[in-house]
Amino acid sequence: MLSHFILHPLFWWLNRVLQLSLDQLILDHPMYSKDGELKEIWVPGVAPDGPPWEMRPSTETSQGKNNGDNEMQQQENVIDSYEDLQRVLINAGLPETEDRSKQPRTGHTMDTTTICVLGTPSFAMSILLEGSRQCPGKILLCLSTSWFCSASPSSASLFIKQAVTFDFGGRTYLDTFSPPRRITYLSWLGGLQILMGEQLECPMGGSPQLSNLLANTLGVRILLDSKELPLSPALLLSNSYQLGSWGKYAPKAKTTKVVLKTFWPYPGRSPNTSFYSSQDTLQVSDVVVGLFSDLSQGQAVLLEGFVMTVPPRRIKPSPPPACISRCSVRPPELTIRLCAVVCRSRGDQPILSKFIRFVVTLLQVVCMVGRAEKPLCHRFTLPQSLDTTLELWGVLDDAQKRNIWEQIKEVSENTMKAIMEEEIKMSPKEKGGNKVQTDVIGVDMLLSCVDYMISPVILGVTTDLCLESCGIHECVLGSLETGKSTTVESASGPLIETMLRRSMTYVMEGKEVLVIGAGGISKKFIWHAAQNYGIKIYLVESNPGHFASSLVTSFIHYDYEDCSCDDEEHAQNIVSIVREKGLHLSGCMAFWDECTILAAILCHKLGLPGPPPNAVRLAKRKTQTQLCLFNMTAPSPPFPYAGAFAVPCFPLGPGTGGVEAAESILSYPLVLKPESGAGAVGVRLVQDAEECRRLVKKIGVDPEECKSNGKTPLAIDAGGISRNEKDYKPKIGANCNCQSVVPEVGLSNGVSGASIVEPVKKTVQTPPLLLAEYITGSEHDVDLVLGFNGRLLAAYVSDNGPTLLPGFTETAAALPSRLSRERRCQLVQAASRSCRALGLYPGVFNVELKMTDSGPRLLEINPRMGGFYLRDWIRHIYGTDLVLVALALSCGLEPGLPEKGAQEHAVLVGVMCNGDFHEEALGSTANPQKLSELHNAGYIRFNRLEGSPVQLLDQEPYGNVACQGESQKEARERLLGVCYVLGLDSQRYPLQYLTGEFH
């Protein structure tokens, strides 16, 4: 213990420092233990038929207790935690837990999404309730480590045999699992348990080791101070202190005045925080000396400068009349304490709470208001939103609110970033496992006033208490009226997204997938993504020199473009190759449009999950898609008939009757387009009969072949194919002796920052044509994720700008959609009903529709993942990687997907760069190097597509340039400014008009 001789000069120096700027001192202690009631410590065990951990007595318990006493204490703790859970549920207006433990749950597999939360029910409630909304039945609460088990002593997989399951509507069940359920993500919310270290293979959010590091109050202060984050001055007093992992930052500290190093390895209970005047150094000295007599080895006392919070702008009420007596009471001085929950998002980016719209986000920073002369604790103050608090403080201006919010956001996210950067440098042993990372923290802050500016000051990192406060706040808002609930944006929303993503990535590690067709340069991101996810790709490609050969696990050269074989024969040949190589495939699929039918046939032959071949054939032939919907007459209330979304069309293939037959059914103007293909290449508007015949003849359609053979061209056979077109099959490749050829078409998906490489050129036979009714209205894409029973798992709606008629090549787009919620739901319903009508599931599909005055109308269904920029945009806005989702579905796994994206507040608006209109700019002001530089600097999102930067006949776009904003209007204005500088705006390509709907 330090002597009085040492203490006195320290307090004299501290008093001199604090008198310059502070009025009071805070006597504080390790912030993780302010309100904690932690009693147990766990150490590794290797019992083959029991839990992987055993309990040991904590430092507060008697060393003489035997195992029986420990087991009894453990059982008592489980009962107490279970009763606490019931009290929390009742107070939240939810039913109590139903006991289903006598009927063990079955039907789960090793790959079933299982998110387990280990922690105190009150701390975990915000996460659990949000999980029940976003992934019901997949999120479990573990009340004791005795509920865990392992497959064998040497197994690194973690299983759970009993848990509380959180299901739809917040309903809970006490379940047992037979066999035990493998955990695919473990959330650690603090405590004195010690896991099996780096032996565990499942992803973990938090660990005892990381909790101990964050509980090192001084170490965290020094780390944050080295990043120049706002902290109050502080002084540490102790007989011994070791900074451990944080020591390297001590020389960089700016505000820590004196450091006497010590080390306290575990969070523990500490005395309550007290306030003292900096003028009364004798009293402070006496208190510290008294505390020193009770300090355990390695504990310390921390003195922090008292920070005055911003004072409220009180509005004086009207004085009462003279006949009414007055009570002159001076209102107490008040203080504000903020809790900001920061979650790790995709790409290891910290995100503060749910960030959707400004008004909503203010509800997610929880505040406590109390009297300034006493410490303000989490559990003794009703939490409220930042918006409400600021208005009570007299801050009513939206600009001022936004400024305060942005400061809180910056400080809290930078705190999370600093912690994440340190974790990268740690070994698995230091972190507590191979896949351990901090996925959520809570940052305690005050609002101070410096130079007439309101600024946040960090008090500390207290994850569990901040989560608990947010959960209280969400429960309060969830019961505004008796017996009624409201939708509450949860602070744990982004955390659930991270849990689901890490869980799916873990399950997909090592899966082996056969992919048919490599596509062009715009598909390059797929192979990089698979590598990052640890998925083994066996790529079948007809081009032996394709660049993707070096980016996959195994490259299989097979010429599926050989016209001497049909799809069935090609599929059988590939099956033989698979068997010869002894591949153990989990899935098979195609990302490239031309290979979707072949992939579907292969799935059927190999017994792998995937949409039926007939459904893919129907979707690939646009006329057959519409005719199938028109013929769906079976009633299916309460949903509309699928035929309500169909568009009248007529094929121009052999024996159909040609243009004359189409004119007897359809009215001009019409749209002439290929039966199959993508990217709107070859699609033209025709205003009258003369223009239609001229264009059809120019394309090379023989009127004699189109003459009717007496059969009805509109019939659908058992396989779903029009009888008169059933035998037509487009042939691909140079051996086809095709008389009419056009550049290969295929909807492609760009990859941000991809190297600029010219796509491989091929030729295809001109597919048969069709004429369709021209539909007016706004155009939209719906990217669907459908499960194995056709269940809608996710849908993403984007807007398209007007096209340059008579062509229909895309010009501009925005995500998310500007449409109202009801109109978006109509589009999703039309897209999903159309796919189900064809039997097209499971999988990820892109559906193009128009929203007319009378509702949505289907343009076409692409039986594969959406192309162009869509994967990149959806991943950025919603956090869902459609590549991973599509691969998971191909392996028979139904992924758990977040309800909303953590950055759904953001809007992307982009325009296409086309060689036909931008050849000069793409060679100068908007050259590939400039676009790449702007993308890497964050000014734009650039996606390289399949088109050429020079003028070619009827080609796809070269790339897409997009900008981000908090609204379509803001994103559009930024985009117009960037495009003006890049020279992409012109009279022939008027961006003001093409983006005019995004406002």
Side-chain angles (χ1 to χ4, degrees):
M1 182 180 297
L2 288 177
S3 66
H4 291 277
F5 178 78
I6 298 177
L7 280 174
H8 181 75
L10 286 173
F11 274 102
W12 174 85
W13 181 87
L14 176 67
N15 188 41
R16 287 286 305 273
V17 172
L18 297 182
Q19 277 181 341
L20 299 176
S21 58
L22 303 170
D23 296 326
Q24 293 177 302
L25 290 174
I26 296 177
L27 181 62
D28 207 354
H29 303 280
M31 52 193 67
Y32 245 66
S33 59
K34 287 180 180 176
D35 300 300
E37 297 182 358
L38 306 173
K39 302 177 181 178
E40 300 169 353
I41 297 177
W42 300 82
V43 295
V46 291
D49 55 351
W53 305 292
E54 296 174 346
M55 187 171 69
R56 74 175 183 188
S58 71
T59 55
E60 298 179 4
T61 60
S62 171
Q63 298 294 327
K65 287 189 176 183
N66 56 35
N67 290 336
D69 294 333
N70 289 336
E71 291 175 2
M72 183 177 298
Q73 180 65 42
Q74 179 182 356
Q75 182 63 24
E76 291 176 356
N77 291 336
V78 172
I79 294 174
D80 290 343
S81 296
Y82 188 81
E83 291 177 350
D84 287 343
L85 172 63
Q86 305 315 304
R87 285 191 287 269
V88 172
L89 293 172
I90 292 172
N91 290 332
L94 297 170
E96 296 180 66
T97 302
E98 179 182 336
D99 187 355
R100 299 190 304 193
S101 57
K102 293 183 179 180
Q103 298 85 35
R105 302 293 100 186
T106 60
H108 50 272
T109 68
M110 287 283 287
D111 295 331
T112 299
T113 300
T114 305
I115 295 173
C116 180
V117 178
L118 180 61
T120 305
S122 63
F123 293 163
M125 192 53 56
S126 174
I127 298 173
L128 294 166
L129 292 181
E130 181 65 15
S132 71
R133 285 189 285 267
Q134 296 202 40
C135 52
K138 295 181 173 69
I139 188 162
L140 313 176
L141 172 64
C142 181
L143 298 178
S144 170
T145 51
S146 65
W147 291 6
F148 291 128
C149 64
S150 57
S152 66
S154 60
S155 174
S157 295
L158 182 62
F159 294 80
I160 189 165
K161 56 188 177 183
Q162 184 172 1
V164 178
T165 303
F166 277 70
D167 215 325
F168 290 101
R171 296 193 65 88
T172 55
Y173 304 94
L174 180 61
D175 286 330
T176 56
F177 304 101
S178 179
R181 192 165 165 175
R182 187 174 76 144
I183 295 173
T184 58
Y185 179 94
L186 178 61
S187 176
W188 182 272
L189 295 182
L192 291 181
Q193 295 93 339
I194 299 177
L195 296 183
M196 295 166 57
E198 57 269 30
Q199 298 177 38
L200 285 180
E201 66 175 15
C202 75
M204 290 177 57
S207 70
Q209 289 85 342
L210 292 181
S211 294
N212 289 335
L213 285 173
L214 293 178
N216 188 333
T217 306
L218 181 63
V220 172
R221 284 185 58 91
I222 293 176
L223 171 67
L224 300 183
D225 194 45
S226 69
K227 306 296 183 181
E228 299 185 351
L229 292 169
L231 296 160
S232 61
L235 173 67
L236 184 84
L237 300 173
S238 176
N239 55 343
S240 63
Y241 200 94
Q242 298 176 2
L243 286 172
S245 298
W246 312 118
K248 56 183 174 291
Y249 291 105
K252 303 178 183 178
K254 304 295 190 306
T255 60
T256 303
K257 302 305 181 183
V258 174
V259 179
L260 300 179
K261 299 179 180 180
T262 187
F263 179 71
W264 175 235
Y266 303 111
R269 185 178 302 174
S270 64
N272 293 329
T273 302
S274 303
F275 292 170
Y276 300 92
S277 172
S278 62
Q279 305 297 322
D280 194 350
T281 57
L282 182 60
Q283 182 187 17
V284 176
S285 177
D286 289 342
V287 172
V288 172
V289 171
L291 286 173
F292 263 47
S293 62
D294 296 327
L295 288 183
S296 301
Q297 179 66 28
Q299 286 184 316
V301 175
L302 180 69
L303 297 175
E304 288 186 343
F306 181 81
V307 179
M308 296 294 295
T309 59
V310 57
R313 302 174 185 173
R314 300 188 184 278
I315 302 175
K316 294 183 178 180
S318 302
C323 60
I324 298 178
S325 60
R326 302 185 183 187
C327 180
S328 57
V329 177
R330 182 181 179 182
E333 294 296 328
L334 300 178
T335 186
I336 307 174
R337 184 172 184 167
L338 308 177
C339 279
V341 174
V342 190
C343 303
R344 183 195 296 254
S345 184
R346 64 274 184 189
D348 286 336
Q349 293 299 313
I351 291 183
L352 173 59
S353 296
K354 184 72 75 171
F355 196 66
I356 299 178
R357 291 285 182 260
F358 174 63
V359 175
V360 177
T361 55
L362 290 182
L363 297 174
Q364 301 311 307
V365 178
V366 173
C367 303
M368 282 78 71
V369 178
R371 300 179 67 146
E373 71 270 12
K374 59 179 63 177
L376 187 58
C377 299
H378 285 81
R379 291 177 170 174
F380 297 93
T381 309
L382 187 65
Q384 62 189 30
S385 70
L386 176 62
D387 190 48
T388 297
T389 304
L390 292 179
E391 290 188 355
L392 291 173
W393 244 243
V395 181
L396 304 177
D397 182 70
D398 285 342
Q400 290 181 324
K401 290 181 181 179
R402 175 171 293 279
N403 178 268
I404 295 172
W405 162 258
E406 291 295 342
Q407 290 189 71
I408 295 172
K409 177 179 183 294
E410 180 181 7
V411 168
S412 56
E413 290 182 352
N414 284 341
T415 300
M416 179 65 154
K417 187 176 180 180
I419 293 171
M420 293 191 303
E421 289 174 350
E422 284 310 298
E423 290 182 7
I424 295 175
K425 307 171 187 176
M426 296 179 183
S427 67
K429 184 176 182 180
E430 290 175 320
K431 292 188 293 185
N434 288 315
K435 298 180 180 178
V436 174
Q437 64 186 34
T438 297
D439 284 337
V440 61
I441 64 169
V443 184
D444 266 347
M445 289 180 282
L446 295 176
L447 286 181
S448 65
C449 188
V450 180
D451 296 331
Y452 303 100
M453 295 293 295
I454 299 177
S455 303
V457 176
I458 298 174
L459 293 178
V461 179
T462 54
T463 302
D464 44 9
L465 294 176
C466 285
L467 279 172
E468 183 181 69
S469 297
C470 287
I472 295 171
H473 182 237
E474 290 157 16
C475 289
V476 169
L477 293 183
S479 54
L480 282 175
E481 301 178 23
T482 304
K484 298 181 181 180
S485 63
T486 60
T487 301
V488 180
E489 297 294 345
S490 173
S492 302
L495 178 59
I496 298 298
E497 175 193 323
T498 297
M499 290 175 167
L500 290 170
R501 183 181 64 257
R502 293 188 68 194
S503 176
M504 181 163 51
T505 302
Y506 171 58
V507 168
M508 286 297 293
E509 281 183 6
K511 290 289 190 291
E512 302 180 15
V513 182
L514 188 72
V515 177
I516 312 301
I521 186 64
S522 65
K523 300 298 184 185
K524 188 176 182 180
F525 70 90
I526 294 174
W527 324 123
H528 289 301
Q531 286 180 334
N532 293 334
Y533 291 131
I535 301 171
K536 299 179 180 179
I537 298 294
Y538 300 97
L539 178 61
V540 178
E541 169 58 34
S542 60
N543 176 13
H546 200 285
F547 69 85
S549 62
S550 62
L551 302 176
V552 295
T553 303
S554 178
F555 184 80
I556 302 172
H557 172 238
Y558 175 79
D559 188 9
Y560 50 72
E561 297 180 346
D562 182 2
C563 296
S564 63
C565 299
D566 61 15
D567 285 334
E568 292 288 341
E569 292 172 312
H570 282 310
Q572 190 57 53
N573 292 338
I574 295 174
V575 168
S576 299
I577 295 174
V578 168
R579 290 173 179 168
E580 288 174 5
K581 291 181 175 291
L583 303 182
H584 301 284
L585 300 175
S586 302
C588 173
M589 64 170 302
F591 292 97
W592 190 244
D593 195 76
E594 300 299 331
C595 299
T596 51
I597 296 177
L598 178 57
I601 297 173
L602 275 166
C603 287
H604 178 70
K605 289 184 177 294
L606 293 169
L608 297 172
N614 278 340
V616 179
R617 288 191 181 100
L618 277 173
K620 283 283 292 178
R621 301 298 294 277
K622 298 178 176 65
T623 302
Q624 301 303 315
T625 300
Q626 304 291 354
L627 292 178
C628 179
L629 298 185
F630 274 126
N631 281 272
M632 295 293 294
T633 57
S636 55
F639 301 105
Y641 298 129
F645 312 120
V647 174
C649 61
F650 197 91
L652 297 181
T656 59
V659 176
E660 290 79 5
E663 290 173 332
S664 67
I665 297 175
L666 308 174
S667 300
Y668 288 100
L670 300 175
V671 177
L672 179 68
K673 58 183 177 180
E675 276 282 5
S676 62
V681 175
V683 183
R684 288 291 182 272
L685 177 70
V686 291
Q687 301 279 3
D688 51 42
E690 180 181 355
E691 182 181 3
C692 181
R693 284 168 171 78
R694 184 173 64 251
L695 187 56
V696 168
K697 183 177 180 180
K698 182 178 179 181
I699 292 175
V701 175
D702 188 351
E704 293 298 323
E705 290 185 0
C706 293
K707 287 184 178 180
S708 175
N709 54 12
K711 297 180 180 179
T712 255
L714 303 179
I716 303 284
D717 68 7
I721 304 298
S722 170
R723 286 196 295 265
N724 289 350
E725 298 187 19
K726 184 176 179 181
D727 297 329
Y728 178 83
K729 182 171 162 34
K731 302 295 183 180
I732 304 176
N735 299 325
C736 299
N737 296 322
C738 305
Q739 295 181 353
S740 178
V741 295
V742 295
E744 182 184 23
V745 295
L747 194 57
S748 53
N749 187 342
V751 53
S752 296
S755 60
I756 308 303
V757 179
E758 289 303 315
V760 178
K761 296 294 182 181
K762 297 179 182 177
T763 59
V764 298
Q765 183 181 16
T766 303
L769 301 176
L770 68 89
L771 285 169
E773 181 181 301
Y774 176 67
I775 303 298
T776 60
S778 58
E779 188 171 338
H780 306 270
D781 278 37
V782 178
D783 289 88
L784 290 175
V785 181
L786 296 179
F788 295 96
N789 55 0
R791 182 191 300 275
L792 177 64
L793 302 181
Y796 309 98
V797 182
S798 56
D799 301 336
N800 291 335
T803 61
L804 297 175
L805 298 176
F808 287 89
T809 302
E810 185 175 314
T811 59
L815 179 79
S817 173
R818 68 183 181 280
L819 297 180
S820 67
R821 183 175 183 273
E822 181 179 3
R823 299 290 263 180
R824 294 197 307 271
C825 289
Q826 290 177 350
L827 287 169
V828 171
Q829 184 65 216
S832 58
R833 293 285 294 168
S834 298
C835 288
R836 292 192 193 103
L838 270 60
L840 188 67
Y841 57 83
V844 178
F845 310 111
N846 173 260
V847 184
E848 299 176 26
L849 306 104
K850 273 196 172 183
M851 178 58 75
T852 71
D853 293 338
S854 56
R857 293 294 182 269
L858 176 70
L859 297 181
E860 61 182 69
I861 298 174
N862 297 304
R864 40 87 186 133
M865 186 182 75
F868 288 162
Y869 45 80
L870 286 170
R871 179 259 184 178
D872 176 52
W873 285 18
I874 290 171
R875 183 168 175 258
H876 178 70
I877 298 294
Y878 295 95
T880 300
D881 189 346
L882 293 184
V883 172
L884 181 60
V885 172
L887 289 169
L889 287 168
S890 77
C891 294
L893 309 178
E894 190 167 275
L897 299 176
E899 180 183 31
K900 294 180 178 179
Q903 289 198 44
E904 198 180 353
H905 74 288
V907 174
L908 287 170
V909 174
V911 295
M912 295 296 195
C913 307
N914 196 306
D916 292 341
F917 301 97
H918 304 121
E919 180 177 12
E920 181 179 351
L922 292 174
S924 56
T925 52
N927 62 70
Q929 182 180 355
K930 173 61 70 176
L931 294 175
S932 180
E933 289 175 355
L934 291 174
H935 170 83
N936 294 333
Y939 294 112
I940 65 171
R941 295 193 75 82
F942 175 65
N943 281 267
R944 173 70 166 94
L945 307 179
E946 293 295 323
S948 170
V950 298
Q951 292 190 36
L952 295 174
L953 179 63
D954 203 10
Q955 64 168 325
E956 288 189 75
Y958 169 77
N960 181 275
V961 173
C963 287
Q964 180 176 318
E966 291 190 16
S967 65
Q968 285 196 358
K969 180 180 180 181
E970 180 179 318
R972 174 180 179 261
E973 290 175 351
R974 291 179 181 175
L975 179 66
L976 291 175
V978 168
C979 290
Y980 177 79
V981 174
L982 293 175
L984 299 177
D985 194 5
S986 66
Q987 290 185 346
R988 294 181 60 233
Y989 207 78
L991 296 186
Q992 287 280 353
Y993 163 72
L994 297 177
T995 62
E997 297 181 3
F998 309 140
H999 55 78

